[in-house]
């Protein structure tokens, strides 16, 4: 009972099962196990090379956008404009003259600039103007969508073949989509060990304590938005590489998906708790659920229904887990 | 004034500091000069401006007037970090920690120990954290999130963090409120050693015996003014301090003895009450007209006992009998209908709606419990609020004042007052005077006394033994989830309570 005793109780390592419980990844991993089993049952060649690399290429954008949302949620904010931002970046890319601007690298540079601009606008509105992120980013999402429609009222335009081929190819024998995911996660892993990343989590966990401890709240939140939008940019480029054209409605479904993945992955919407690894697991669960629907021959109109169901189940898991802890 | 004596010059001096909130002066031209190597006791009722003064000195708040001097040079602290840079560190009464982060990270919050390129050096931080906690006598798993720690442990983490920043001036804002006696002794030893090495210390406490034991100098604030200051030489003139604190020289320095009452009727009986790890078979009888105190070290199940009786926490076994009838509380609502009311431990989170007004808070229970929910009894509620404010001596501008702007003592009176619209048969109070000044404390116990005089009863847990000794008819001592001692009459002594608290008979 009493934790103040004369005996040293400080341990150097945490037991693995305890680490798992603390991480909040349990429910997400369980769901991943279930959907992977279903996938294997429905699609016997699930683990074959072509099927795996196809899946990874499809899932990469979702994963990147979900991890982005996780970074923002960790700082106790939310971004409901991610999906529309993806569309806008995609439309800008597709409407650029692909052979000028120094080729594909120029197009990618413009995409990065646009993403940074969108992230900065959201970050400034939320952190510096103090608007509630739920409403502010919902509104800016409408603005991004409007801009995307203005640039490209109908789906069209082209993305240079170099980007598409690059995404479908391999580098050092590793498929590029897998490499992109790995780079994104490595960036997070570094950030999580860096003062800046720790401060994002501290601000999300208790903003007042962070402020009293001398952590600059506004700058830290802005940073979270900028980091997240770099990941969103990467996601948008990956999708563009797959579709090879522009579509102002392309990103629509990613906003809900990113919030869902964060919840499934055990990232607390109250901030401060969870890891982007959870968001990665959540994104995989959502992607594989879509696969299951497809391969089981269920009408795709049930997709949203099933996704919503999965999200509610994940929330239920979290509540049960919280109750057990209390 | 002590300032004329030949003492080392103050490292940080607050000169003529003034501050007002919404037109009300919280500090009016206050001077404070803590000196290296000495512990300065800062006493004052809640709302006297102690915390405001300390927050200004620590850079968490800007003063409206006056100035801060560091080594004789004017200094301006616009952020806590400015103050820390100049060696001014504060440990807050309510720990300001990030609940999700591990203990070791909280110790370095905002001052991370980093290696090359800003990466946090984990091994070095953890090792340093372990030593920092050892220094304050805390031996816990430093990798667990802070939210798992008890209030006392969190307080020690907060203090350890302040100590580690090598302060020239250390401000301890009610550091002992959540600590047990043994931990207080340990902390005091540490503070004395720190003072001996040349640190200036400001110590805030509501416990006079702690001030007497620790402090070299004393400053008393009342209503934002400095009303007295002198050097202590090991003893404290309690009557003089109480006079200065209350500004009321007629008030008795000691509490009047409570008259013995008829204590035949049993109001509440607990038989082998169990709940989780905290309660392991509690037996007690609560008699009509009595104030029954629950003592013991921190975390022996006292808070859980009150929560369980109030229906706020599930019981696993045993019986609760109210006026002879067995109850199995499932919801607080069931208990409130029977007049079993809880004044919870954490008044900010469980006792009040902090963003609402005094009137709304006082009427909250009546609104929730009214028999016909579709008919608001506006006039009756307004009348109830109007009568309750003077009845409990709540110091407020009126029912529309936001409850968050009241002092701690007056907030607590609102928490008690909200129950008075309905019948109160058993009043459960969990550390009701935590962070409450002496005068309000007396008024709160007067209210409780008036209530039980009508035939109901009160069950009080308080972390301060003296408070229980002063106000209770009988005292139960809890140890590891059980009642180990019942004391009444002349057997109610500090010595016997403390002995029983450690699980020993005196």
């Amino acid at each position: 009972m009493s934790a103040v005793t004369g005996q040293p109780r400080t341990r150097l390592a945490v037991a693995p099962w305890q680490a798992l419980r603390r991480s909040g990844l349990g429910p997400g991993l369980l769901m991943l196990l279930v959907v992977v089993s279903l996938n294997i049952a429905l699609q016997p060649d699930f683990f074959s090379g072509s099927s795996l690399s196809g899946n990874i290429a499809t899932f990469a954008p979702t994963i990147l956008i979900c991890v982005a949302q996780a970074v923002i949620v960790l700082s106790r904010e939310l971004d409901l404009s991610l999906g529309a931002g993806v569309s806008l970046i995609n439309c800008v890319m597709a409407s650029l003259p692909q052979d000028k601007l120094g080729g594909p690298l120029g197009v990618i540079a413009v995409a990065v600039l646009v993403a940074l601009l969108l992230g900065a606008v959201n970050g400034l509105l939320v952190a510096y103007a103090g608007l509630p992120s739920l409403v502010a980013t919902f509104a800016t999402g409408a603005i991004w969508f409007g801009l995307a429609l203005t640039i490209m009222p109908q789906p069209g335009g082209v993305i240079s073949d170099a980007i598409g081929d690059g995404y479908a190819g391999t580098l050092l024998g590793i498929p590029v989509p897998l490499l992109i995911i790995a780079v994104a996660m490595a960036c997070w892993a570094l950030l999580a060990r860096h003062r800046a990343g720790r401060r994002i989590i501290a601000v999300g966990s208790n903003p007042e304590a962070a402020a009293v401890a001398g952590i600059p709240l506004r700058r830290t939140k802005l940073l979270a938005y900028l980091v997240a939008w770099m990941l969103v940019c990467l996601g948008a480029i990956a999708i563009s590489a797959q579709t090879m054209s522009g579509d102002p409605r392309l990103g629509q479904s990613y906003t809900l998906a990113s919030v869902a993945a964060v919840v499934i992955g055990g990232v607390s919407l109250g901030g401060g708790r969870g890891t982007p690894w959870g968001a990665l697991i959540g994104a995989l669960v959502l992607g594989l659920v879509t696969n299951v629907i497809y391969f089981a021959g269920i009408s795709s109109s049930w997709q949203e229904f099933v996704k919503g169901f999965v999200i509610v189940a994940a929330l239920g898991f979290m509540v049960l887990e919280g109750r057990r802890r209390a | 004034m002590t300032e004329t004596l030949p003492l080392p010059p103050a490292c940080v001096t607050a000169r003529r500091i003034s501050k007002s909130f919404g037109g009300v002066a919280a500090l009016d031209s206050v001077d404070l000069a803590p000196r290296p190597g000495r512990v300065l006791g800062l006493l004052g009722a809640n709302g006297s401006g102690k915390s405001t003064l300390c927050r200004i000195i620590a850079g968490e708040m800007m003063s409206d007037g006056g100035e801060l001097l560091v080594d004789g040079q004017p200094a301006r602290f616009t952020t806590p970090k400015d103050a820390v840079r100049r060696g001014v560190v504060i440990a807050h009464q309510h720990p300001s920690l990030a609940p999700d982060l591990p203990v070791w990270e909280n110790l370095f919050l905002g001052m991370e120990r980093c290696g090359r390129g800003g990466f946090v050096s984990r091994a070095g931080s953890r090792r340093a954290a372990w030593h920092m906690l050892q220094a304050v006598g805390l031996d816990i798993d430093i990798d667990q999130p802070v939210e798992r720690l008890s209030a006392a442990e969190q307080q020690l983490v907060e203090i350890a963090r302040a100590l580690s920043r090598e302060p020239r001036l250390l401000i301890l804002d009610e550091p002992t409120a959540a600590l047990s006696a043994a931990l207080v002794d340990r902390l005091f030893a540490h503070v004395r050693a720190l003072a001996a090495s040349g640190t200036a210390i400001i110590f805030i406490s509501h416990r006079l015996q702690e001030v007497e034991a620790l402090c070299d100098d004393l400053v008393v604030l009342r209503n934002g003014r400095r009303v007295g200051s002198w050097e202590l030489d090991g003893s404290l003139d309690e009557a003089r301090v109480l006079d200065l604190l209350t500004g009321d020289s007629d008030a008795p320095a000691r509490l009047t003895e409570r008259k013995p009452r008829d204590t035949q009727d049993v109001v509440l009986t607990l038989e082998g009450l169990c709940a989780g790890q905290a309660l392991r078979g509690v037996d007690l009888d609560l008699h009509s007209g009595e104030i029954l105190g629950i003592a013991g070290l921190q975390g022996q199940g006292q808070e859980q006992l009150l929560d369980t009786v109030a229906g706020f926490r599930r019981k696993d076994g045993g019986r609760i009998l109210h006026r002879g009838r067995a109850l199995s509380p499932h919801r607080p609502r069931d208990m409130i209908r029977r007049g079993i009311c809880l004044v919870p431990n954490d008044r900010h989170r469980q006792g009040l709606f902090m963003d609402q007004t005094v009137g709304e808070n006082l009427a909250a229970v009546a609104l929730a419990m009214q028999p016909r929910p579709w008919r608001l009894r506006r006039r009756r509620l307004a009348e109830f609020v109007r009568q309750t404010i003077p009845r409990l001596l709540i110091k407020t501008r009126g029912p529309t004042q936001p409850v968050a702007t009241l002092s701690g003592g007056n907030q607590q009176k609102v928490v008690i007052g909200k129950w008075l619209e309905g019948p109160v048969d058993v009043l459960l109070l969990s550390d009701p005077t935590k962070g409450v000044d002496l005068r309000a404390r007396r008024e709160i116990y007067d209210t409780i006394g008036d209530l039980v005089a009508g035939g109901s009863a009160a069950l009080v847990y308080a972390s301060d033994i003296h408070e229980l000794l002063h106000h209770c008819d009988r005292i139960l001592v809890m140890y590891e989830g059980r009642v180990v001692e019942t004391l009444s009459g002349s057997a109610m002594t500090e010595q016997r309570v403390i002995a029983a608290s450690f699980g020993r008979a005196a």
Side-chain angles (χ1 to χ4, degrees), chain A:
Chain A
M1 276 305 295
S2 167
V4 184
T5 62
Q7 296 296 313
R9 291 204 294 117
T10 310
R11 283 166 296 117
L12 289 175
V14 183
W17 66 269
Q18 221 178 349
L20 181 67
R21 268 198 70 184
R22 278 183 197 172
S23 68
L25 293 181
L29 284 173
L30 197 69
M31 290 172 96
L32 187 61
L33 198 70
V34 171
V35 289
V36 167
S37 317
L38 282 172
N39 260 276
I40 293 170
L42 292 166
Q43 189 192 1
D45 64 342
F46 178 71
F47 280 113
S48 76
S50 64
S51 155
L52 264 188
S53 64
N55 272 335
I56 288 168
T58 317
F59 296 165
T62 320
I63 290 171
L64 292 167
I65 294 159
C66 293
V67 171
Q69 187 71 275
V71 173
I72 292 169
V73 169
L74 273 175
S75 76
R76 202 185 269 195
E77 299 296 347
L78 203 62
D79 197 325
L80 298 181
S81 73
L82 296 188
V86 168
S87 305
L88 180 55
I89 296 168
N90 165 255
C91 289
V92 169
M93 285 173 74
S95 60
L96 288 172
Q98 303 291 311
D99 41 1
K100 301 211 176 105
L101 291 164
L105 283 181
V107 174
I108 288 173
V110 171
V112 170
L113 284 180
V114 172
L116 278 179
L117 183 68
L118 303 187
V121 169
N122 279 355
L124 289 172
L125 285 177
V126 171
Y128 284 82
L131 303 184
S133 60
L134 191 78
V135 184
T137 58
F138 195 61
T140 54
I143 297 174
W144 310 159
F145 181 50
L147 285 175
L149 278 175
T150 314
I151 295 171
M152 199 163 277
Q154 304 292 329
V158 281
I159 303 284
S160 83
D161 288 342
I163 292 178
D165 293 345
Y167 188 69
T170 63
L171 195 70
L172 305 169
I174 307 166
V176 170
L178 190 62
L179 213 57
I180 291 177
I181 297 171
V183 166
M185 297 314 288
C187 283
W188 168 257
L190 283 178
L191 190 61
R193 280 164 185 73
H194 194 273
R195 186 171 43 203
R198 301 316 302 174
R199 287 182 168 185
I200 289 176
I201 297 174
V203 165
S205 180
N206 185 352
E208 282 169 48
V212 166
I215 296 175
L217 288 190
R218 292 182 291 195
R219 218 189 302 161
T220 306
K221 286 200 168 175
L222 178 61
L223 178 75
Y225 272 94
L226 291 177
V227 169
W229 277 85
M230 287 316 298
L231 293 166
V232 170
C233 178
L234 218 51
I237 294 168
I239 303 174
S240 305
Q242 282 178 289
T243 61
M244 298 298 284
S245 66
D247 178 355
R249 290 184 175 78
L250 182 68
Q252 250 169 12
S253 66
Y254 287 102
T255 302
L256 178 64
S258 67
V259 177
V262 160
V263 170
I264 293 170
V267 182
S268 163
L269 292 176
R273 184 182 306 162
T275 62
W277 300 102
L280 182 133
I281 291 170
L284 286 177
V285 169
L286 289 176
L288 290 170
V289 163
T290 317
N291 269 7
V292 168
I293 293 169
Y294 177 78
F295 285 109
I298 303 170
S299 151
S300 64
S301 48
W302 284 92
Q303 220 182 80
E304 289 302 303
F305 177 89
V306 173
K307 272 190 188 166
F309 201 82
V310 169
I311 298 167
V312 172
L315 278 170
F317 260 125
M318 271 175 85
V319 172
L320 283 180
E321 175 68 15
R323 224 176 259 165
R324 204 149 56 95
R325 241 193 240 176

Side-chain angles (χ1 to χ4, degrees), chain B residues 370-423:
Chain B
Q370 65 181 359
R372 277 164 297 187
W374 57 87
R375 244 185 69 202
L376 279 181
R377 300 167 298 170
R378 271 180 211 286
R379 202 166 302 161
R380 208 173 127 188
L381 285 179
E383 180 64 18
F384 164 69
V385 168
R386 213 173 49 76
Q387 286 173 352
T388 306
I389 290 172
R391 179 177 168 196
L392 297 190
L393 308 171
I394 299 170
K395 251 165 91 184
T396 169
R397 290 197 308 267
T400 54
Q401 185 178 356
V403 82
T405 61
L406 293 187
S407 70
N410 285 304
Q411 288 180 355
Q412 193 64 285
K413 289 178 194 169
V414 172
V415 179
I416 295 172
K418 71 181 182 182
W419 296 114
L420 302 183
E421 205 270 345

Side-chain angles (χ1 to χ4, degrees), chain B residues 198-220:
Chain B
T199 306
I201 289 151
I202 298 177
F203 177 77
I204 300 180
S205 174
H206 284 310
R207 299 180 188 163
L208 295 182
Q209 63 274 22
E210 289 180 357
V211 173
E212 185 170 28
L214 186 67
C215 296
D216 306 303
D217 302 300
L218 184 67
V219 170
V220 183

